[in-house]
Amino acid sequence: MASGAKADSYTARLRKSLHRARNAVRKSGVDYFRGDGSDWIALVGLLLTVPGIAFATMAVPVWFAPSALVLPIVAGGLLLRPSSLLTLYAAAATALIVESLVLGPYDQGPATVTPGTVLVVAACGLFGLLIAQFRARVGVPWRRGGTMLFDLRERIRVQSALPPLPKGWHREMALRPAGGQSFSGDFVVAARTNGGRTLEVVLTDVSGKGMDAGSRALLLSGAFGGLLGSLPPHGFLPAANGYLLRQDWDEGFATSIHLVLDLESGDYELLSAGHLPALQLHAGSGRWEEMAGEGPLLGVYDGAEFDPVKGSLLPGDVLMLFTDGLVEASGRDLSEGIDRLSGEADRYVAAGFDGAAWHLIEAVAKHVNDDRALLLICREG
């Protein structure tokens, strides 16, 4: 019994040690991927490849050219910090010297170290060092850079998500950045306020498009999301205008439309800051009506006033908010674009608007090189 207990105790300690070692390796790998850990693992790995490549070149020069040393140099430019990169360059230079001594003068055979080989390796090293210095100045290693951009894109997507609505209501939304990019100058922020009875939605179109406007859209979406619901509905656009003015951007204006909808009665107000009118489908007549509030662009001048327009959504009615990428085109009047959008939306009146937002963008602005956003609020019959 005693020997069995000792064996069990030893096995348990061994398992705990292996578990701690596995967790340490995993944490080190995660930290390295995130850019928080040291780069010594990558440095050691690349330093080991340099003599391996040099040995292969000296043994089989026909298959392994001396210029193959650019491979660890390029990888080091992506993986290592500038200080570590210099160590790798010293190892590569030493390998080139050894190869030239073993293989002989470059004029005695094709598989030798030529001046061109040295120039290629040096040029790759220079570009790698420039890339590493740029990453060090930005402070975001390449491993973490892609993760950070992905995280930013997901934060925009989460901030643009519409809250669930009570029974009898349906909402649809689609965002399409310009040029198939991941970041858009159009964004939506929404919240249920007044104890959940009121739905507030703000659709904003930042000046510019795609990646150029994406960073400003991210900043504004966070600020607007904090303002929405923290202020009375009529105080949101003035506060947003003041915030945009304080940024003092060279290209700092934006258009915005603010919907305040009572989910019990269906009554709503629309406040606009230079934005396109909304379209309301009246189920009784089957006609689309433009609902346009009055107000200047955000970020143009202080003390701007925004006059609302009021309406009501009856059972079967639909309210559609959109940005100019869906209806504006060179050589075409704005009213023609709005008519085309409403005409395409008529196709969904009988079958319902489930999934219609994405298909409407496909139908009217599939190949438009501009950010596009479409929001549908439907009161079911």
Side-chain angles (χ1 to χ4, degrees), residues 17-30:
S17 299
L18 291 176
H19 180 71
R20 286 195 296 266
R22 185 172 65 251
N23 288 341
V25 172
R26 182 185 303 170
K27 183 178 183 301
S28 177
V30 170

Side-chain angles (χ1 to χ4, degrees), residues 53-303:
I53 293 175
F55 177 79
T57 300
M58 292 182 290
V60 194
V62 175
W63 288 97
F64 295 91
S67 58
L69 285 171
V70 302
L71 298 177
I73 287 178
V74 170
L78 297 174
L79 292 170
L80 303 178
R81 296 181 174 88
S83 56
S84 302
L85 200 56
L86 295 177
T87 304
L88 179 64
Y89 289 174
T94 303
L96 276 178
I97 295 173
V98 173
E99 289 175 357
S100 64
L101 293 176
V102 173
L103 296 176
Y106 66 87
D107 56 357
Q108 294 183 2
T112 54
V113 180
T114 65
T117 301
V118 176
L119 289 177
V120 169
V121 175
C124 291
L126 176 61
F127 287 125
L129 184 60
L130 292 176
I131 293 173
Q133 287 179 339
F134 174 78
R135 291 199 323 269
R137 185 169 65 250
V138 174
V140 180
W142 81 275
R143 305 178 303 278
R144 183 57 176 162
T147 306
M148 184 185 71
L149 291 176
F150 176 80
D151 182 60
L152 292 177
R153 187 187 68 182
E154 289 303 299
R155 287 180 184 273
I156 294 177
R157 184 185 62 83
V158 170
Q159 287 178 352
S160 298
L162 298 176
L165 301 184
K167 184 178 180 180
W169 292 93
H170 177 72
R171 79 279 195 277
E172 288 282 336
M173 184 184 67
L175 294 173
R176 188 77 62 85
Q181 301 178 18
S182 298
F183 296 91
S184 172
D186 297 347
F187 66 88
V188 175
V189 292
R192 294 273 297 273
T193 59
N194 193 22
R197 172 173 176 169
T198 303
L199 172 68
E200 293 192 50
V201 180
V202 177
L203 174 60
T204 303
D205 183 359
V206 177
S207 58
K209 59 186 177 183
M211 292 291 292
D212 295 334
S215 58
R216 285 177 286 133
L218 177 63
L219 178 62
L220 291 181
S221 64
F224 286 10
L227 292 174
L228 192 66
S230 301
L231 297 171
H234 286 208
F236 174 81
L237 286 181
N241 181 60
Y243 177 83
L244 203 56
L245 286 171
R246 289 193 296 273
Q247 305 313 304
D248 196 24
W249 289 329
D250 293 335
E251 191 179 4
F253 65 89
T255 69
S256 191
I257 187 167
H258 181 196
L259 168 66
V260 184
L261 172 63
D262 189 319
L263 295 172
E264 294 185 4
S265 65
D267 296 335
Y268 68 84
E269 282 189 340
L270 277 174
L271 299 100
S272 177
H275 201 83
L276 297 174
L279 293 177
Q280 179 178 351
L281 172 67
H282 296 279
S285 63
R287 295 179 177 273
W288 291 91
E289 178 187 3
E290 293 187 9
M291 306 295 293
E294 295 184 1
L297 298 170
L298 295 178
V300 176
Y301 62 88
D302 198 9

